[in-house]
Amino acid sequence: DTAVSQTPKYLVTQMGNDKSIKCEQNLGHDTMYWYKQDSKKFLKIMFSYNNKELIINETVPNRFSPKSPDKAHLNLHINSLELGDSAVYFCASSQVGGRYYNEQFFGPGTRLTVL
Amino acid sequence: QKEVEQNSGPLSVPEGAIASLNCTYSDRVSQSFFWYRQYSGKSPELIMSIYSNGDKEDGRFTAQLNKASQYVSLLIRDSQPSDSATYLCAVRLGGATNKLIFGTGTLLAVQP
């Protein structure tokens, strides 16, 4: 009964490759997020979708492209991977508004290593 | 000035003591405040949320919010070695988006 799941858990790839990370939530939330946590453990928002609409788009290289086919799924595609993209990528979800006060719940993370 | 500031620690407390974790934020219109616990190699886990000035208690955890001073804290009573983790303070900025800004986290070490 995993709430927020991500695949893959680990991703090791060469510079220049293209890769995707997938996220799914079964909490019935309407908003999903991608975060990046760097080697210094700083957690930073990248993107957010509310009901399939992009609502947060931080200053992220356009090699990163999120896509939300429905409100339970959010994917992240990364083109032309660079060494600096190595990090842990977390997906999160929340229900905006109402009594849940926008509490965000995180998936297990995908550790991306670019060689 | 960072938007959300925390002392990186490590904060070392003996087992059974009260651990006090502090966080300050710069956006005066922030309305929602969260504490997450992150064990090494794991994802952040929401442990407390607070929206009104004052204290909010949940088991051994108490969150305290002072909007006038732009300060939020987390107290952990009867600290256990299993509480050893990084504690992340997160602040929801004012405005229409549900954007959370995280602090860099405080590493708590509870000594048996």
Side-chain angles (χ1 to χ4, degrees), chain A residues 33 35 37 41-43 45 55-56 58 90 94 96 100-108, chain B residues 32 34 36 38 41-44 46 49 51 56 88 92 97-104:
Chain A
Y33 312 82
Y35 284 87
Q37 189 169 46
K41 307 301 183 188
F42 183 55
L43 194 61
I45 182 76
I55 58 170
I56 297 175
E58 292 294 287
F90 288 105
S94 74
V96 174
Y100 297 104
Y101 292 105
N102 308 316
E103 296 173 342
Q104 295 185 21
F105 297 90
F106 283 77
Chain B
S32 308
F34 307 90
Y36 286 81
Q38 187 173 25
K42 300 295 186 183
S43 60
L46 180 65
S49 54
Y51 311 98
K56 179 182 176 184
L88 301 169
R92 177 176 176 262
T97 66
N98 190 30
K99 183 175 173 180
L100 285 190
I101 302 297
F102 282 81
T104 51

Side-chain angles (χ1 to χ4, degrees), chain A residues 4-46:
Chain A
V4 183
S5 58
Q6 293 179 231
T7 54
K9 191 171 173 63
Y10 299 97
L11 192 50
V12 181
T13 188
Q14 299 287 330
M15 266 197 318
N17 283 350
D18 303 338
K19 290 293 178 186
S20 292
I21 307 171
K22 294 179 184 254
C23 178
E24 177 179 359
Q25 56 94 4
N26 63 5
L27 296 167
H29 289 164
D30 61 3
T31 305
M32 297 182 73
Y33 312 82
W34 279 115
Y35 284 87
K36 179 180 180 181
Q37 189 169 46
D38 60 25
S39 57
K40 294 184 179 179
K41 307 301 183 188
F42 183 55
L43 194 61
K44 192 170 182 346
I45 182 76
M46 300 173 68

Side-chain angles (χ1 to χ4, degrees), chain B:
Chain B
Q1 181 189 4
K2 292 180 183 175
E3 291 176 286
V4 179
E5 293 204 55
Q6 296 180 254
N7 187 322
S8 61
L11 172 66
S12 184
V13 300
E15 184 174 355
I18 296 175
S20 178
L21 303 157
N22 304 314
C23 174
T24 58
Y25 60 95
S26 60
D27 182 4
R28 285 196 167 272
V29 299
S30 296
Q31 294 296 318
S32 308
F33 307 86
F34 307 90
W35 283 99
Y36 286 81
R37 178 176 62 199
Q38 187 173 25
Y39 292 111
S40 181
K42 300 295 186 183
S43 60
E45 174 193 5
L46 180 65
I47 54 172
M48 287 289 282
S49 54
I50 187 165
Y51 311 98
S52 305
N53 277 328
D55 295 0
K56 179 182 176 184
E57 186 175 319
D58 184 0
R60 295 187 296 112
F61 299 100
T62 299
Q64 299 174 317
L65 175 61
N66 183 326
K67 291 185 180 180
S69 301
Q70 295 174 242
Y71 176 90
V72 58
S73 65
L74 180 70
L75 301 178
I76 307 175
R77 288 182 300 282
D78 188 23
S79 294
Q80 301 297 309
S82 59
D83 295 325
S84 298
T86 296
Y87 288 80
L88 301 169
C89 172
V91 176
R92 177 176 176 262
L93 298 184
T97 66
N98 190 30
K99 183 175 173 180
L100 285 190
I101 302 297
F102 282 81
T104 51
T106 298
L107 178 61
L108 173 66
V110 181
Q111 308 299 326

